[in-house]
Amino acid sequence: MSEPLLSESSNQPKEDQVLPFADAPSIVRAHQKDSYFESVIRSKLLEVTQIFTGQRFVHTHPEELTVAAKALYLATTTLTGSRTLGEEYADLFYVTRSGKKLPKLAQRIGFILSYAILPYLVTRLIRKYFKRSNVDEDDGDEDDQEGKPKTWSSFLSRLTYTSVIDSLMSLHLAIFYLKGSYYNISKRLFGLRYSFGHTVNRNEAASNGGYELLGGLILAQLAFKLSNLIKDIHFTKLPEPHTSTDQEKDSEHRRAQFSAIPHAHASTAPRIDLSNEELLPYIPSASRNCMLCLDPMKDPCCATCGHIFCWSCISNWARENPECPLCRQDLTEQALLPLR
Amino acid sequence: MATKRLMKEFSLVQKSIPSDSEYPNILTLQPQDTLFQWKGTISGPKDTPFEGYKWGLIIDIPHTYPSSPPSVKFANKICHPNVNFQTGEICLNILNQEHWSPAWNLINVIVAILQLLGNPEPLSPLNIDVSNLLKLGDMSAYDGLIKYYAVRYGLKDEDGILD
């Protein structure tokens, strides 16, 4: 646990005139309260937008609503200079890095923008970028075959945006747990540090305990991940050409598998037509007609109860009425078994 | 699909009606201008108060047939607990979307209606007066009322079939 009292302020007249920096547990408590109130605001906002724009908009823009709720909550509290409910609950307030001044308006605006809106914008951009690059990748496969293994590019390709962000976040969290200074990266960026609104008894603070153990665990996990990654790259360096051809084979195999799946919606001729008596000879002639279309069955398929119908007849029926037309046993479309 | 299936049913009907002894009470069953409108004639089943008289049936078939049930009405007035006296509407569970099965055909539907004539269900009545008689167990009044309306609105066996 970092020293709750400000040690660098030794040149200040009196140490106990400066309020102590908040410790990690209080910050986490305040944050939890705040996220609860954010979710309350979000659900209220949801109701209101639903009234004005309809259910569909609400369903298609859940992220936007979350961002709006977050921004609204912070704009009404932090931006106006008052404390959020969570901060009041834990008796915290923002101070500058040195802990001697209150943060300026520009700092607070910067924090709100980077905290509430920036992550959303970045994820949207990245998603767009990846959609495009995924299309490009298909062409890229053939180039790899003749090209020499490029360790660096393969290293980069492993680093997806989310994995990088995740490791950065957990690194930051580990630092927070160890030092207890900034809970969010954006708070660190704009120098918004929490300070207690009251003086803290040294003994009391020590007995509260901290999150150092958690921080250490996260760091260990990160180190393990990193070593794994390095090992992986090191080993795939040599057999790279092989793996790429393997991938090719694999994708060919997969393509073959896909083409083997009958196209249910294709209106082409049926694959199995029971008017041909040589097909599926174990079905007796009396049962070769579908009870639904009264014709010889086309693409016969079997329901879970054992009754046989044309694929198209029974799947049309099952979509609306999930029961067998003959015995009324439960019948779901996905449980139909094509006979061949 | 509906047209194709109705064609099949038509040929089936032509084979079995009226020659087939399996369906003695179905006198006629044939499509009208289109395959989606049929008319039929039934005679009252034996040992029921309807015996000796004939009724016409008007069958309208939806284009979603056989996924949806046909709608069947009596053409002439009939006094029965489960038939609306004014409109001829029939209360029969298999004619509801909920209980209909595409495995049934038009002949099955008419057989079911014939069954209904002999086995009324007074607990879901469309004709409350006659079903109350049945609920009270006053069979002579029940039979008498049905006979009265049969004489009045039903066709006699000697009459021709209803158009």
Side-chain angles (χ1 to χ4, degrees), chain A residues 291-292 295 317 325-326 328, chain B residues 4-5 8 67 99 101 104:
Chain A
M291 281 304 290
L292 303 190
D295 271 334
W317 169 254
L326 288 172
R328 294 201 182 278
Chain B
K4 214 172 157 200
R5 159 138 173 180
K8 290 256 168 196
S67 287
H99 295 98
S101 159
W104 285 317

Side-chain angles (χ1 to χ4, degrees), chain B residues 64-99:
Chain B
T64 47
Y65 183 82
S67 287
S68 313
S71 85
V72 188
K73 278 201 266 182
F74 275 96
N76 43 341
K77 284 194 163 70
I78 182 168
C79 178
H80 184 277
N82 305 111
V83 180
N84 187 316
F85 187 71
Q86 298 298 332
T87 62
E89 185 194 336
I90 303 169
C91 175
L92 183 60
N93 63 354
I94 66 157
L95 293 180
N96 275 335
Q97 179 72 53
E98 216 182 314
H99 295 98

